[in-house]
Amino acid sequence: MLHFSLQRARNAKLLRSRIFALNYTTVTQQFNQPRKPSRVPLLVGGKFIESQAAESIDVINPATQEIVSQVPLTTKEEFQSAVDAAKKAFPSWRNTPVTTRQRIMFKLQELIRRDMDKLALNITTEQGKTLKDAQGDVFRGLEVVEHVCGMGSLQMGEFVSNVSNGIDTYSIREPLGVCAGICPFNFPAMIPLWMFPVAVTSGNTFILKPSEKDPGASVMLAELAMEAGLPDGVLNIVHGTNDTVNAICDDDDIRAVSFVGSNNAGMHIYARASAKGKRVQSNMGAKNHAIVMPDANVDATANALAAAGFGAAGQRCMALSTVVFVGDLKTWENKLVELAKSLKVNAGVAPDADLGPVISKQAKERICMLIQSGVEAGARLVLDGRNIVSSIKFIICTLWKEWCLMTDCGHVTEDGMELTHSLAVLITAHFSCKKVPGYESGNFVGPTILSGVTADMECYKEEIFGPVLLCMQADSLEEAIDIVNKNKYGNGASIFTSSGAAARKFQTEIEAGQVGINVPIPVPLPFFSFTGSKASFAGDLNFYGKAGVQFYTQIKTITQQWKDLPSGVSLAMPTSQKA
């Protein structure tokens, strides 16, 4: 095994130079030099190979619209080859000592630390988040790798001696076989690291499908895993969209599926894979709330709300999207607007960037439409970040709506001169809006605050997944808790208060899987589990921590007897009672 690992490390060094040469160059090269985009490779049976698929999807830099690379739509034959490679590798890998598997993870965490900056740069290039946030993305995944370095203890079974006369019973946790993971775009490093390190260190083999929007980090992490000594076929990578997802759900050799993403996709995967007898853990959408009590520390709370609401451009499943203020609202509004206006929207590589672009033009348009739906439903637009960079489509839509409003309100003279003048003002305003210098084509949405939001508004019912903070008001803590609990999602909820009694009431009565007390994003470290609930999760066993190990393993119970067997045959039910 040691000889094998050393050879694997030498091979991986050669592979890394090839992969880095394909995709992951310096900031200057990525942002300024035109080049032919490369195809993202598959990983099958320990080898990075180029897909023979005729179709591919462009990976777009959300700040520049540059095509970074192209993702092939894995063919049926290539997918089957990946599954076959994982199936072939399983028997020897499951019998590899847990201490050997742990050592590979120890090496992997060392290599991730070594290449932290390269990984972060790739994430920023493909996904758009700031470099600092991208490093956090990698680090939170790294913590899972560190945790599974103790798999010997995590996978430990139970033993009871002499359960009956001369009979012992014990249980062990065994790997399932071939498992698979389907990843979202918003955490290109963290989510793959939630999945495959836990699965493979438990003794399984794995098929990873990265997001087609930003697959680079997954390829780099797989390469590091191979350099760390992971044997051929233990980790494989396929690419694609619906067809690949359905193939994962339907394949009889895949025993378990992990998914993080939207509710529509998550419930489809849960239903389809479960129908085939697979285990499924599906983390889905969210509408995370914070309740702010009158006794909360103003500065600390406002800073926390702004960071949790606008960080990563709101593209976090635990982003704080809704704040329920108990009592006064206006003071908090003013404070939040002041903080939001101080944040700098820029390309993620810019040193001063606080938030970067959203993932795609379609995502930006959806965010803007949900903001507008709130305005049309009666919410007050306290701060509008839609015009940081205006797309032509958005400008035309906005001008058309305002044209219609003016004509309906009788603001048009017979010769149309007043309308012409008004449109000229509108056009000037839209095209003179604040830009992001050098990145005018980027998918930028600035911090936005809607106040006076009610539970029947579309902007409240839907997960916006953008830098938009919704403000609501309640007269009491009881009313605020009731508002939160009526929402269908249950990923996380927080309270800001200096009252222990209020905090205790909140943690007891709130219906959310992850609760923060004066903590805006209560994502637990890996020795606990990510415990979303209600419509935010489908399945029985959550990600990472003890639940994650349980998800990727099955219990086998052994009852043994080492004594002379009694003479004669008894057909009575065996019991622990002596004859």
Side-chain angles (χ1 to χ4, degrees), residues 16 36 48 73 126 132 151 171 209 236 244 266 270 293 311 314 334 390 420 422 473 488 526 535 537 540 557:
R16 188 168 66 256
K36 183 179 179 180
F48 286 105
L73 301 184
E126 293 185 354
K132 187 174 182 180
M151 185 56 71
S171 65
K209 194 207 84 67
N236 304 272
T244 305
Y270 181 74
M293 299 298 290
N334 295 336
S390 294
T420 303
S422 298
Q473 194 167 13
K488 67 178 181 178
F537 181 75
D540 295 313
T557 305

Side-chain angles (χ1 to χ4, degrees), residues 234-549:
V234 173
L235 176 61
N236 304 272
I237 292 180
V238 296
H239 301 293
T241 54
N242 296 352
D243 289 343
T244 305
V245 168
N246 288 336
I248 289 172
C249 293
D250 295 344
D251 193 282
D252 290 333
D253 289 319
I254 294 175
R255 298 286 307 280
V257 179
S258 300
F259 169 79
V260 177
S262 70
N263 275 66
N264 287 340
M267 289 311 299
H268 168 79
I269 290 165
Y270 181 74
R272 187 160 182 156
S274 296
K276 296 290 288 187
K278 305 184 195 305
R279 286 188 181 182
V280 186
Q281 52 180 191
S282 181
N283 264 14
M284 299 177 290
K287 200 73 177 181
N288 304 305
H289 294 67
I291 294 175
V292 177
M293 299 298 290
D295 62 359
N297 181 291
V298 174
D299 290 334
T301 301
N303 287 335
L305 297 178
F310 306 131
Q315 297 176 119
R316 292 173 177 153
C317 59
M318 284 293 286
L320 187 60
S321 62
T322 305
V323 188
V324 183
F325 295 96
V326 176
D328 175 60
L329 173 60
K330 192 64 179 177
T331 302
W332 290 103
E333 267 184 24
N334 295 336
K335 186 68 176 179
L336 287 170
V337 169
E338 178 187 348
L339 285 171
K341 285 183 175 179
S342 70
L343 299 175
K344 294 183 179 179
V345 180
N346 208 336
V349 293
D352 63 346
D354 292 309
L355 60 156
V358 296
I359 189 66
S360 66
K361 289 188 178 297
Q362 293 79 11
K364 177 180 177 177
E365 288 170 3
R366 179 179 179 277
I367 292 165
C368 291
M369 284 190 290
L370 284 170
I371 294 169
Q372 186 61 31
S373 74
V375 174
E376 292 172 0
R380 289 185 294 109
L381 189 56
V382 180
L383 182 64
D384 189 353
R386 291 174 293 177
N387 292 343
I388 287 290
V389 173
S390 294
S391 67
I392 294 298
K393 181 176 179 180
F394 175 72
I395 291 171
I396 290 172
C397 288
T398 304
L399 291 175
W400 176 252
K401 287 178 181 178
E402 293 182 14
W403 178 304
C404 293
L405 284 172
M406 285 188 291
T407 54
D408 287 344
C409 294
H411 289 172
V412 186
T413 58
E414 289 184 4
D415 59 5
M417 289 301 294
E418 188 173 340
L419 176 59
T420 303
H421 174 73
S422 298
L423 281 175
V425 171
L426 288 171
I427 291 169
T428 302
H430 278 292
F431 280 98
S432 62
C433 66
K434 182 182 177 183
K435 302 288 183 180
V436 179
Y439 302 99
E440 286 78 10
S441 61
N443 310 322
F444 295 100
V445 180
T448 299
I449 300 173
L450 281 168
S451 193
V453 173
T454 56
D456 60 339
M457 294 181 180
E458 198 69 18
C459 64
Y460 176 77
K461 291 186 287 186
E462 293 290 326
E463 182 179 27
I464 298 177
F465 226 56
V468 183
L469 199 59
L470 307 182
C471 297
M472 305 176 77
Q473 194 167 13
D475 293 330
S476 65
L477 176 58
E478 289 77 12
E479 183 186 351
I481 290 174
D482 186 57
I483 289 171
V484 179
N485 287 346
K486 284 181 177 177
N487 191 274
K488 67 178 181 178
Y489 295 110
N491 233 15
S494 298
I495 187 170
F496 291 87
T497 181
S498 59
S499 166
R504 187 164 183 80
K505 179 181 176 65
F506 174 80
Q507 76 172 48
T508 301
E509 297 183 11
I510 205 71
E511 296 172 5
Q514 294 161 119
V515 175
I517 296 173
N518 297 319
V519 174
I521 305 179
V523 177
L525 290 172
F527 28 87
F528 293 94
S529 297
F530 190 99
T531 52
S533 62
K534 295 171 66 175
S536 295
F537 181 75
D540 295 313
L541 295 166
N542 298 92
F543 281 84
Y544 62 78
K546 290 180 181 178
V549 175

Side-chain angles (χ1 to χ4, degrees), residues 145-156:
V145 180
E146 292 173 335
H147 185 58
V148 300
C149 289
M151 185 56 71
S153 298
L154 296 172
Q155 206 168 341
M156 196 174 290

Side-chain angles (χ1 to χ4, degrees), residues 1-7 92-93 96-97 100-101 104 229-231:
M1 177 56 75
L2 178 60
H3 172 76
F4 182 87
S5 296
L6 290 172
Q7 184 61 47
S92 61
W93 181 243
T96 300
T100 301
R101 291 186 242 133
I104 292 172
L230 206 62

